[in-house]
Amino acid sequence: MKQLITILLIAIFLGCKEKPVNSVILYADENILSELDFGVMKFKETIIAQGSSFQITKDPSHANIKLEIENQKDLDVEKNDGFTISKSNEVVTLSSECHRGLLYGLLDIKEQLTSGASWNDIKEKSITAHHDFRAIKYNLPWYSYRSGEHLSTHVETCKDLKYWESFLDMMLENKFNALTLWNMHPYMYMVKSKTFPKASPFSDEEMAEWEVFWKSLFKMAKDRGIDTYIVNWNIFLPELFSKEYGGGNYSSEAGNGHFGEGDTNQNIEDYTREMVTLTLNTYENLTGIGITLGERMGGMTSEKRRDWADRSLIAGLKAANRKARLIYRAPLSAGLVNGGTVSVSAEKLTRKTVETMGMDDDVWIEFKFNWSHGH
């Protein structure tokens, strides 16, 4: 009798074990779907791997998962990329203020399912991002701020898009939403000046290879909800620019001339402005640029550093054929030196500069913390 009861209990348990939902049917309007190709693809892969079918419907009444953007009328408001998962009967509704939040929500549901939850066991939750800007500062190994084998050994790795695919997947998994890519003069690796063509160290074929690399990288980042910025130190130039057009010839100095007097002229300003504009016009998925006031701006007052950036980098950003965002690094020095010094007047000048520069979107202000290299 005990054996019979045990067998019956096992049969009841197995019979009651919930099976995966037969079909997952997703609804979202076209504007949402066009921005979520990557997230929907990853979600679909999980559903199919679990033995269910997946389809997208144009009729919300047929769906058992719906994606919605909240507060669509508040177009000028900075969006929080948190999300809400709610349920009614067997229908899951995922909502957020922005597409990135929907991506995070899809990945959350995906993680719940791969961790053993059935469709009906998906947990309701509401997540609000505490920090809007969650960035990684990545120093590129070419024309790098420091030099040596510890950097040069990674050049080919950092040109490998498979490496970046893995790196960006890691960023998405950990909810980093911005990648800032730094070197002393990134623009010469991205575009070739039409006004100063001899400044480029690359042939047309080499530039075409670089363009494929950058466009692929920025597209992969956008698919994962990651904003991208290129950031330089000022005032650094290609060696060929200094040779052909004059100015900024620091390469012969000890330590590659990271620190010292700033060197500028009309050619340098025109070249810098043109390169920023060309870069933003060429790479539609690049979110924006960052500026640094700056290792090679010794001998310049805070006002002169600001004015130089206004006439060159920021003017180039504003001349682009599309909107782009800006990271404005607080001056490294409140005086004429390169080292870290601060003053009330310099900080007030920075605030006034940002508030009056006429940018449509908010400008991120970057500060460097002491002993930051340890982290």
Side-chain angles (χ1 to χ4, degrees):
M1 179 63 72
K2 289 182 179 179
Q3 185 180 13
L4 178 60
I5 291 173
T6 302
I7 294 171
L8 285 172
L9 288 173
I10 292 172
I12 291 169
F13 174 78
L14 292 174
C16 292
K17 188 176 182 180
E18 198 164 9
K19 297 179 180 178
V21 65
N22 290 329
S23 181
V24 173
I25 305 172
L26 181 145
Y27 170 77
D29 68 38
E30 290 298 325
N31 290 332
I32 292 175
L33 291 175
S34 65
E35 295 291 330
L36 284 179
D37 281 347
F38 177 81
V40 171
M41 177 188 70
K42 291 296 183 182
F43 185 69
K44 176 181 177 180
E45 289 174 358
T46 298
I47 298 301
I48 292 175
Q50 294 194 326
S52 303
S53 65
F54 177 86
Q55 59 181 297
I56 297 174
T57 180
K58 294 184 178 180
D59 186 345
S61 66
H62 293 165
N64 53 6
I65 178 168
K66 301 176 183 178
L67 310 185
E68 299 177 351
I69 294 286
E70 301 173 327
N71 303 324
Q72 295 189 60
K73 294 182 180 180
D74 298 329
L75 299 178
D76 294 328
V77 178
E78 190 77 21
K79 304 298 184 182
N80 187 283
D81 57 15
F83 60 89
T84 298
I85 299 172
S86 58
K87 296 194 299 184
S88 178
N89 297 322
E90 294 184 357
V91 178
V92 175
T93 300
L94 170 60
S95 58
S96 176
E97 295 182 13
C98 65
H99 295 105
R100 183 189 292 130
L102 292 179
L103 172 60
Y104 290 163
L106 274 178
L107 296 181
D108 186 282
I109 296 172
K110 172 180 175 292
E111 184 176 345
Q112 291 190 50
L113 293 173
T114 54
S115 297
S118 69
W119 188 258
N120 290 330
D121 291 332
I122 292 172
K123 293 180 180 179
E124 295 184 301
K125 61 178 68 177
S126 185
I127 304 294
T128 300
H130 184 67
H131 295 292
D132 292 332
F133 190 77
R134 306 179 298 276
I136 285 179
K137 176 180 184 285
Y138 195 111
N139 287 358
L140 293 165
W142 42 83
Y143 204 6
S144 53
Y145 182 72
R146 295 286 186 244
S147 60
E149 185 180 356
H150 57 293
L151 285 169
S152 61
T153 192
H154 298 297
V155 169
E156 293 307 314
T157 299
C158 290
K159 286 182 174 181
D160 187 346
L161 289 170
K162 293 299 293 182
Y163 162 78
W164 283 108
E165 182 179 15
S166 177
F167 191 90
L168 294 168
D169 283 346
M170 176 280 295
M171 288 185 64
L172 173 58
E173 181 180 354
N174 290 283
K175 309 263 185 324
F176 287 105
N177 62 11
L179 174 64
T180 64
L181 299 164
W182 293 62
N183 74 7
M184 292 201 291
H185 184 69
Y187 298 101
M188 69 176 173
Y189 296 90
M190 307 182 80
V191 291
K192 182 178 287 190
S193 168
K194 297 176 182 177
T195 309
F196 305 93
K198 294 180 181 180
S200 176
F202 303 114
S203 66
D204 290 343
E205 292 77 13
E206 288 171 323
M207 282 308 307
E209 292 177 4
W210 278 110
E211 186 171 328
V212 169
F213 168 79
W214 292 115
K215 286 189 172 182
S216 300
L217 172 56
F218 297 148
K219 178 62 167 61
M220 287 195 299
K222 183 181 179 183
D223 287 344
R224 290 159 177 78
I226 298 169
D227 293 338
T228 45
Y229 296 84
I230 55 167
V231 192
N232 70 327
W233 287 277
N234 293 309
I235 304 171
F236 292 99
L237 299 157
E239 290 185 32
L240 284 176
F241 181 94
S242 301
K243 178 181 177 181
E244 298 290 342
Y245 305 106
N249 183 23
Y250 318 131
S251 60
S252 61
E253 298 182 17
N256 292 328
H258 296 136
F259 300 101
E261 298 292 298
D263 188 3
T264 190
N265 56 41
Q266 193 61 51
N267 278 347
I268 291 174
E269 289 188 15
D270 292 347
Y271 166 80
T272 303
R273 183 169 54 251
E274 180 192 11
M275 292 293 276
V276 171
T277 302
L278 281 174
T279 296
L280 292 172
N281 288 349
T282 302
Y283 300 100
E284 66 276 7
N285 290 320
L286 174 64
T287 306
I289 67 168
I291 65 174
T292 305
L293 308 172
E295 267 80 350
R296 264 295 178 173
M297 290 185 132
M300 301 170 73
T301 64
S302 295
E303 289 81 4
K304 287 182 178 179
R305 299 180 197 213
R306 175 204 60 190
D307 293 346
W308 186 88
D310 284 348
R311 294 193 302 267
S312 55
L313 293 148
I314 295 173
L317 184 153
K318 290 181 176 180
N321 59 18
R322 65 178 180 89
K323 288 175 60 176
R325 300 200 64 169
L326 176 66
I327 297 173
Y328 192 91
R329 187 170 183 177
L332 301 189
S333 172
L336 302 180
V337 297
N338 293 117
T341 63
V342 295
S343 71
V344 172
S345 60
E347 303 315 316
K348 287 183 176 180
L349 177 68
T350 300
R351 174 172 284 277
K352 182 180 179 181
T353 298
V354 171
E355 290 180 346
T356 58
M357 66 174 52
M359 295 291 292
D360 292 330
D361 293 316
D362 290 341
V363 175
W364 296 110
I365 305 295
E366 182 207 345
F367 296 90
K368 181 173 182 177
F369 292 92
N370 234 4
W371 306 108
S372 64
H373 289 146
H375 307 287

